[in-house]
Amino acid sequence: MVNKSLAVLASLGALACASGCGGGLGEVGNEKMTVLDAAAAYEANRELIHSIRGFYPGPFDGFFRVPNRNPAKQTNENKAFIEKLRQQFPVEYIDFFPMGDTKRDEIDVVLTKYGANTNWSIVSLVYVGVPLPQPEDGSNMAVFDACDERSTEWLETNSGPRRVEVFCQLSEKWYAYQRFE
């Protein structure tokens, strides 16, 4: 009985250390994930990320999410696919939607969401069927031609009481994305 209690305490201690010492969900080390981390995940997993479009070729006629919000509607194929992705990089979920009347699709691979003691933030990889236009000056959105410190600096400079979002281009149709609310 004493050995069993010690084993449970040791397990709980190891679990507490692991959760307190390493990066939690949405963290890289002890830092919150940023658009630059999304870009690094893309570069390290380019083929796997491009396979998302191959697995879900579209065109999409309505919104859906993987994994499905309703576990009863989750398919074995979707479950296996998301698990394959999660073995390589953090993925909370993937949203798929049509882009209005353009007959193009959007895929939003949400890597993390966080908000405790900070602005609410979402970090993701976004596939768009059409190139993103440059927003107007003074907009709450920025689009950069590459992922570098300009994007994180823009977010820091422009964050405040309103929602701000930044996209930085990774390829012809893929962008790293971060939003503060």
Side-chain angles (χ1 to χ4, degrees), residues 13-24:
L15 181 62
C17 181
S19 65
C21 300

Side-chain angles (χ1 to χ4, degrees), residues 36-180:
L36 300 180
D37 298 313
Y42 174 85
E43 291 303 326
N45 299 284
R46 184 183 295 254
E47 285 184 35
L48 186 57
I49 291 166
H50 284 227
S51 76
I52 296 169
R53 184 63 178 168
F55 199 78
Y56 303 97
F60 309 134
D61 58 1
F63 170 82
F64 67 98
R65 176 175 284 178
V66 174
N68 196 298
R69 289 177 176 155
N70 180 348
K73 293 183 178 180
Q74 181 69 0
T75 67
N76 288 335
E77 294 83 13
N78 287 347
K79 190 174 184 178
F81 189 76
I82 195 86
E83 288 306 317
K84 179 177 153 184
L85 294 176
R86 287 175 173 164
Q87 289 173 3
Q88 299 302 313
F89 60 95
V91 179
E92 287 205 19
Y93 54 87
I94 307 172
D95 284 339
F96 300 85
F97 10 2
M99 289 184 68
D101 295 332
T102 66
K103 303 292 185 214
R104 305 297 172 114
D105 297 323
E106 181 178 331
I107 301 171
D108 190 6
V109 182
V110 176
L111 305 179
T112 188
K113 300 183 303 184
Y114 56 87
N117 301 324
T118 186
N119 290 335
W120 182 254
S121 185
I122 292 177
V123 178
S124 62
L125 296 168
V126 177
Y127 170 93
V128 291
V130 294
L132 293 176
Q134 282 298 321
E136 296 178 17
D137 288 340
S139 173
N140 66 333
M141 180 174 74
V143 178
F144 291 96
D145 60 352
C147 287
D148 53 39
E149 288 76 26
R150 294 176 300 161
S151 56
T152 54
E153 289 170 4
W154 186 90
L155 277 173
E156 289 173 15
T157 302
N158 291 283
S159 65
R162 67 182 183 148
R163 172 179 166 163
V164 293
E165 51 194 342
V166 68
F167 291 86
C168 55
Q169 194 162 15
L170 301 167
S171 69
E172 182 182 346
K173 296 187 177 184
W174 282 95
Y175 294 81
Y177 172 79
Q178 186 167 7
R179 176 176 81 209
F180 286 142

